[in-house]
Amino acid sequence: MLFVRLYITEGEKRIFDALKLIAANKEKNRLKILEKYFAGDTSRETLSEVVAQITKCSLNSIELRKANCGSLFVADLCKCVEDIAGIGRKLEEMRCDEYNVPERAAIKIADSVRLAKSGDIKGCISEMKNAVNEYEPIAPLVSEYCDRLIKNIETKEPVSEMEKLAAAVKNNIRQMIDREEYEQAKKTLAEYKQINPKDAEIAKLDNMLQGR
């Protein structure tokens, strides 16, 4: 089906180029590393390579979208950003002495997504720019994610002062956890539970502090 669509939009040369890549095992190697990751392999070597491969697959997806190949072959680029953020969190937990370029970008993407979910959109966009400075190929993904964030803000109902305060408190707790200030994080979370006990994110914060 993909070859038919490519033939219609870009002619047979693109099909022959794709077949040559597959015959040379380049595309198979890309799929192999992704299969390893999604099968549960979280070794550092795999994580590092998957950041680059998700980025490459996403850029190919953008090209397919430009060629009007239909949504069947186009990835959700925001989901790709969140996948990279997940890898960044795993790399962060490894506490390596030194990270390579895609790894540093993934960690910054993880920070960006964390800021977005806490309501700090300005901080998220700033950190996304830092990720692009680390690893330029990720720029189209970052652009898509930031555009989606801004559109969501424009269509969202106004946030109350209580919601702003809650987002700020939860963000502070996450930052304490990142700095390994576990006792202070637990104390702040306990106080927040008394103020807003029905917040669904409390369980996630509790899980982050389990065994700390």
Side-chain angles (χ1 to χ4, degrees):
M1 287 174 68
L2 178 56
F3 284 168
V4 169
R5 286 172 182 269
L6 284 172
Y7 184 82
I8 292 167
T9 56
E10 297 187 33
E12 63 182 26
K13 184 183 180 301
R14 182 74 179 269
I15 294 173
F16 290 133
D17 289 344
L19 286 170
K20 284 175 189 173
L21 283 173
I22 292 167
N25 270 336
K26 291 180 182 176
E27 297 304 301
K28 286 182 182 176
N29 290 339
R30 177 185 298 179
L31 291 171
K32 191 174 179 182
I33 196 76
L34 291 170
E35 283 172 4
K36 281 176 71 176
Y37 172 68
F38 289 114
D41 181 348
T42 55
S43 62
R44 184 179 175 190
E45 182 183 21
T46 298
L47 292 175
S48 181
E49 182 63 19
V50 168
V51 175
Q53 295 305 344
I54 288 178
T55 302
K56 285 177 187 174
C57 289
S58 303
L59 296 179
N60 287 342
S61 184
I62 290 170
E63 290 305 311
L64 286 172
R65 185 167 64 184
K66 286 179 185 173
N68 195 28
C69 285
S71 60
L72 181 61
F73 303 110
V74 179
D76 180 344
L77 300 185
C78 290
K79 175 67 169 60
C80 292
V81 169
E82 289 179 359
D83 285 341
I84 291 173
I87 295 166
R89 286 191 287 274
K90 289 185 176 77
L91 288 165
E92 212 171 9
E93 288 166 8
M94 291 178 179
R95 300 188 182 281
C96 304
D97 293 331
E98 194 173 333
Y99 292 100
N100 65 29
V101 170
E103 290 172 344
R104 290 198 299 272
I107 290 167
K108 290 186 183 301
I109 291 290
D111 290 337
S112 302
V113 171
R114 198 180 291 131
L115 288 166
K117 290 184 177 177
S118 72
D120 185 357
I121 306 304
K122 186 177 178 182
C124 166
I125 292 172
S126 176
E127 195 64 12
M128 284 285 188
K129 288 177 183 175
N130 291 334
V132 172
N133 288 337
E134 288 286 358
Y135 186 49
E136 195 275 334
I138 215 165
L141 285 176
V142 164
S143 175
E144 184 90 10
Y145 188 85
C146 292
D147 285 349
R148 185 88 60 88
L149 275 181
I150 291 164
K151 283 175 186 171
N152 286 345
I153 291 167
E154 288 170 352
T155 57
K156 222 175 182 181
E157 292 179 8
V159 179
S160 70
E161 288 302 316
M162 179 61 189
E163 287 172 316
K164 289 179 187 175
L165 179 61
V169 171
K170 288 181 285 188
N171 189 40
N172 285 340
I173 293 168
R174 289 188 190 93
Q175 288 176 356
M176 289 174 197
I177 294 168
D178 290 342
R179 295 193 300 266
E180 298 184 3
E181 297 170 1
Y182 302 126
E183 291 307 313
Q184 185 59 42
K186 287 176 185 177
K187 183 182 174 186
T188 306
L189 181 57
E191 291 169 354
Y192 179 68
K193 283 180 186 177
Q194 293 178 337
I195 299 167
N196 196 12
K198 293 183 179 178
D199 190 329
E201 285 192 67
I202 287 173
K204 292 179 186 175
L205 295 168
D206 268 328
N207 285 336
M208 289 171 75
L209 287 165
Q210 282 284 336
R212 305 292 191 179

